[in-house]
Amino acid sequence: MLCPLSFHSFHPQNNGFMLIVGRQRSTLDEQHYDVHARPVRQPQSKHAQVAQHVWDPATYGVQEQQHRQHEAAPYTDVLPHRATDVEPRHLQLQAGSHTRQTDVDAASLARRKSSHRSLQPMTSQSQRQLVNAGGARGQGEWLHSATKITQTSRCVQLWMIVLTVAVIGIIGGLIAVGLSASQPAGTSASTAASMDDIQKVQDALEVIRQELREQANVLVLLQANASMHANTARVEQLADQLNNQTAELEAVSEKFDGMHIDTLQQASAEHAATLSVLRLSNGFLVDNDGHVGSHSSLALTSGGLPVMAYLDNTNRVLKLAVCADASCSTSTIRTVDSNSGVGQYTSVALTSEDIPVVSYFDDNLGDLKLVICNDLTCSDPTLVTVDEDEWVGLDTSLAITSNNHPVIAYYDTFGDTSLNLAVCGSVSCSSPTLRSIASPGGLYPSLALTLTNIPFISFHDDANGHLKLIECSDISCTTSTVYTVDSSDSVGLYTSLALTATGIPVISYFDSANSDLLLAVCDSATSCSSPMIRTLDDNNVGQFTSLAVSSNGRLIISYWDGFNGDLKLAVCGDSTCSRLAIRVLDSVDDVGQYSSLALTSKGDAVISYLDSTNSALKLIGVLVA
């Protein structure tokens, strides 16, 4: 019986094959290879997959011709990993891209091992398997395994092999030496002919080593990317896409008409907007000068620039922050009303020219006030007192009509309390129309306008503890229809209202009796008598909600998790929220109060909110589309 000499796999660090010397045991219950030098680290699967090829000089020519006729990839057998592993194994055979499994006993496995005596260059698929099976468990184990030779008295009849590892980079030469040294007596006449075959093997090995070095470089890059933050990897991917789009735009700008260029510019702008959202994905500190960031309200310009109004509680003034780019790497921060005791209950909206307008409460005078900016950064603001009746202007909600006239819903605390509406007659809000549209009640109003400038207002009826909705008959709300949307006890706080593309009102709100986040979807654009109500999240969550509807009908809601002190986001898969995904966006310290949400042109979310622990205004972006 011959001691089998096998070329058994290769390792990326060694750039070549390794000679493995073993012996076949004769007892039937131990028909397996006692491989003293394990060449491959066991992978995650139960059995390592390695490619084994045994070379016999006497039969190489015949088997080479057979393998040239059979173009499928060589089979890959699974060897037992330990001498004590004598149970029947699963043998996985691979031919091309097809894989099948069969059970074989230990005897047939041994016979199969001894029958493979042809050496073939490894396919790319085999190389990939071996690279994946290799891993980083030590070059030392491989080197130790490659130099360890097992000798036995059963093999001294024909073969004496001495394997010497001097320089790993010349593995091909060692193979040639080993093969020539192992020729039995009487084969010298065929040595010259065999050298050509050996040279072919060495050439094939060199090609494999070169491919392996290239794959190893790719693997290093993949491992580096895997260790990075997922958002960072996505940023780099999109950055490459953006660069490609920009290069393409430059290349075709002289060859195509304006329509094609506009299309490419739009695609490039969309990629840039996505990158900006990703850069905000870990939360960005906008202002931490003193105790700032409460009562925040956010709007996005047509170019995606965040604009935020908020309270500077240290100085009791109203501030406005305008980001210089969509990722808010820098921003212009101004005090737009420096009178003491102003800046609570802010609401910001933008005109069609991206001019900020801010409604807010003057706590010193008890008035509803308005800031009308002259430009995007509000370098020269105009202050307007809209309603100066006693203690009015809490919980303001602002919208801008199609002709840029401000409309404000707000809470009047005087007397029996009421929900009021102020409709400005011009851009400068001269001679506003003031109207009480619901009494008693009116806390937490949220205003939305239809395409024809008809106001819808959700609010909390504090007298009865219900959630209600008002549908006005015209812009001034001369008459209105009031719907009780949810008549449960103590519901309807922190309401946020939006209209779907078909005009159906959708409301997110807080159930204070059960400390849950709820959603109400009206039955049509003209009726809310039979709304659908869902509980989206529970366990002391749902305060400071902010709702928006994307162009594809998704409902997106930011809110505060009061139990954990986190900022969370609920994303509904459709307009009825039959499919729901909830994410924790920021959980560092106590964050998430006064959240205000706006959507980019692609439907991704940007949210301003208070970092209570650090008394700072923060901004975060979330990929949703």
Side-chain angles (χ1 to χ4, degrees):
M1 179 179 298
L2 298 179
C3 284
L5 176 62
S6 62
F7 287 87
H8 193 91
S9 182
F10 64 93
H11 192 268
Q13 280 83 357
N14 294 339
N15 290 330
F17 283 85
M18 303 189 70
L19 288 172
I20 306 302
V21 179
R23 61 185 178 86
Q24 186 175 9
R25 297 187 179 183
S26 60
T27 57
L28 182 61
D29 61 341
E30 295 182 351
Q31 286 286 344
H32 64 284
Y33 280 94
D34 185 7
V35 181
H36 295 275
R38 292 187 296 172
V40 181
R41 165 174 165 259
Q42 184 175 359
Q44 298 297 325
S45 58
K46 184 176 181 181
H47 305 297
Q49 298 184 7
V50 297
Q52 175 175 344
H53 308 278
V54 182
W55 185 73
D56 188 340
T59 62
Y60 176 77
V62 176
Q63 294 189 0
E64 181 187 26
Q65 181 178 3
Q66 293 174 350
H67 284 293
R68 290 181 181 275
Q69 295 172 352
H70 184 59
E71 295 181 354
Y75 290 141
T76 301
D77 291 344
V78 180
L79 291 175
H81 295 286
R82 301 182 301 276
T84 58
D85 191 355
V86 297
E87 297 180 358
R89 315 297 280 175
H90 287 288
L91 180 63
Q92 183 174 4
L93 308 179
Q94 294 186 348
S97 62
H98 303 284
T99 303
R100 59 189 178 89
Q101 288 188 347
T102 179
D103 290 331
V104 296
D105 57 17
S108 63
L109 180 62
R111 287 195 298 272
R112 182 179 297 277
K113 299 303 173 186
S114 62
S115 66
H116 285 283
R117 295 182 179 275
S118 62
L119 176 63
Q120 288 183 317
M122 303 189 69
T123 65
S124 297
Q125 180 179 2
S126 300
Q127 295 178 27
R128 286 192 297 270
Q129 292 173 344
L130 291 170
V131 171
N132 292 333
R137 189 192 295 178
Q139 298 176 352
E141 179 181 347
W142 280 79
L143 187 60
H144 173 74
S145 302
T147 56
K148 186 172 182 180
I149 301 177
T150 303
Q151 298 181 349
T152 173
S153 60
R154 298 188 183 189
C155 301
V156 297
Q157 300 176 14
L158 297 177
W159 296 68
M160 291 295 293
I161 300 176
V162 177
L163 178 63
T164 304
V165 177
V167 179
I168 290 181
I170 56 173
I171 296 299
L174 292 178
I175 293 175
V177 173
L179 289 172
S180 61
S182 63
Q183 296 292 327
T187 62
S188 59
S190 62
T191 301
S194 299
M195 291 303 296
D196 292 337
D197 295 332
I198 293 173
Q199 185 61 44
K200 294 179 181 178
V201 173
Q202 292 175 338
D203 293 341
L205 290 177
E206 180 59 32
V207 172
I208 292 172
R209 283 195 295 268
Q210 179 61 31
E211 293 180 354
L212 182 58
R213 282 190 287 268
E214 295 176 356
Q215 294 178 3
N217 292 334
V218 174
L219 182 60
V220 170
L221 293 176
L222 291 175
Q223 291 172 339
N225 286 337
S227 65
M228 296 172 67
H229 195 281
N231 284 326
T232 304
R234 177 66 173 152
V235 167
E236 296 302 327
Q237 179 186 0
L238 290 173
D240 291 340
Q241 294 177 3
L242 177 60
N243 291 335
N244 292 336
Q245 290 281 358
T246 303
E248 185 178 0
L249 174 61
E250 294 174 352
V252 304
S253 60
E254 297 180 357
K255 299 180 180 180
F256 293 92
D257 57 27
M259 182 180 67
H260 292 89
I261 295 176
D262 290 343
T263 301
L264 288 172
Q265 287 175 335
Q266 180 180 0
S268 182
E270 289 178 352
H271 282 298
T274 302
L275 285 170
S276 298
V277 172
L278 282 170
R279 293 189 181 104
L280 289 171
S281 59
N282 291 323
F284 182 82
L285 188 65
V286 179
D287 189 358
N288 63 346
D289 185 9
H291 190 140
V292 297
S294 63
H295 298 272
S296 76
S297 180
L298 169 72
L300 298 180
T301 68
S302 56
L305 303 181
V307 178
M308 293 155 281
Y310 57 99
L311 171 67
D312 177 346
N313 205 36
T314 300
N315 301 297
R316 305 280 300 168
V317 295
L318 174 65
K319 280 188 170 183
L320 187 75
V322 180
C323 297
D325 52 50
S327 59
C328 210
S329 57
T330 60
S331 60
T332 300
I333 299 176
R334 298 186 191 277
T335 299
V336 292
D337 189 346
S338 58
N339 294 300
S340 178
V342 299
Q344 297 183 68
Y345 308 109
T346 67
S347 182
V348 64
L350 303 176
T351 68
S352 57
E353 291 83 20
D354 287 334
I355 302 300
V357 179
V358 184
S359 61
Y360 59 102
F361 177 59
D362 183 337
D363 187 38
N364 187 41
L365 301 174
D367 296 343
L368 169 66
K369 297 181 73 172
L370 197 66
V371 166
I372 301 176
C373 297
N374 63 314
D375 54 24
L376 177 58
T377 61
C378 214
S379 59
D380 187 17
T382 299
L383 306 183
V384 178
T385 299
V386 179
D387 190 347
E388 56 186 354
D389 201 0
E390 189 172 356
W391 288 100
V392 295
L394 286 76
D395 294 338
T396 74
S397 181
L398 171 68
I400 303 294
T401 66
S402 57
N403 55 1
N404 291 328
H405 295 181
V407 179
I408 312 164
Y410 57 101
Y411 182 56
D412 182 349
T413 64
F414 184 75
D416 293 332
T417 72
S418 63
L419 173 64
N420 291 2
L421 186 70
V423 181
C424 296
S426 64
V427 175
S428 61
C429 203
S430 59
S431 305
T433 300
L434 307 179
R435 193 181 304 276
S436 175
I437 55 178
S439 181
L443 278 170
Y444 303 106
S446 181
L447 169 68
L449 300 179
T450 68
L451 296 177
T452 56
N453 296 323
I454 302 300
F456 278 78
I457 308 166
S458 62
F459 65 99
H460 172 64
D461 179 353
D462 49 307
N464 300 293
H466 299 162
L467 170 65
K468 289 188 175 181
L469 177 70
I470 288 182
E471 177 186 1
C472 295
S473 60
D474 53 33
I475 181 63
S476 299
C477 211
T478 53
T479 61
S480 61
T481 303
V482 180
Y483 298 99
T484 299
V485 180
D486 191 343
S487 59
S488 302
D489 185 38
S490 299
V491 296
L493 288 77
Y494 299 99
T495 75
S496 183
L497 169 69
L499 304 179
T500 67
T502 57
I504 298 175
V506 182
I507 310 167
S508 63
Y509 59 101
F510 179 58
D511 177 352
S512 62
N514 299 294
S515 298
D516 297 339
L517 172 66
L518 272 62
L519 177 73
V521 180
C522 293
D523 37 310
S524 72
T526 58
S527 175
C528 202
S529 56
S530 301
M532 181 219 68
I533 296 177
R534 293 185 187 275
T535 298
L536 303 184
D537 200 357
D538 55 16
N539 194 20
N540 193 22
V541 298
Q543 299 177 67
F544 302 102
T545 72
S546 184
L547 167 69
V549 181
S550 67
S551 58
N552 59 3
R554 289 184 176 182
L555 308 182
I556 304 169
I557 309 164
S558 64
Y559 59 101
W560 183 51
D561 180 343
F563 183 80
N564 296 296
D566 298 341
L567 173 67
K568 299 179 79 173
L569 187 75
V571 179
C572 299
D574 50 40
S575 60
T576 61
C577 212
S578 60
R579 301 186 307 276
L580 173 66
I582 294 178
R583 311 179 192 178
V584 176
L585 302 183
D586 192 347
S587 59
V588 179
D589 300 322
D590 183 5
V591 295
Q593 296 183 61
Y594 298 100
S595 76
S596 182
L597 177 146
L599 300 182
T600 67
S601 59
K602 290 189 64 177
D604 295 321
V606 180
I607 306 163
S608 65
Y609 59 101
L610 172 66
D611 180 343
S612 300
T613 301
N614 299 294
S615 301
L617 174 67
K618 295 184 74 175
L619 188 68
I620 195 167
V622 187
L623 290 181
V624 177

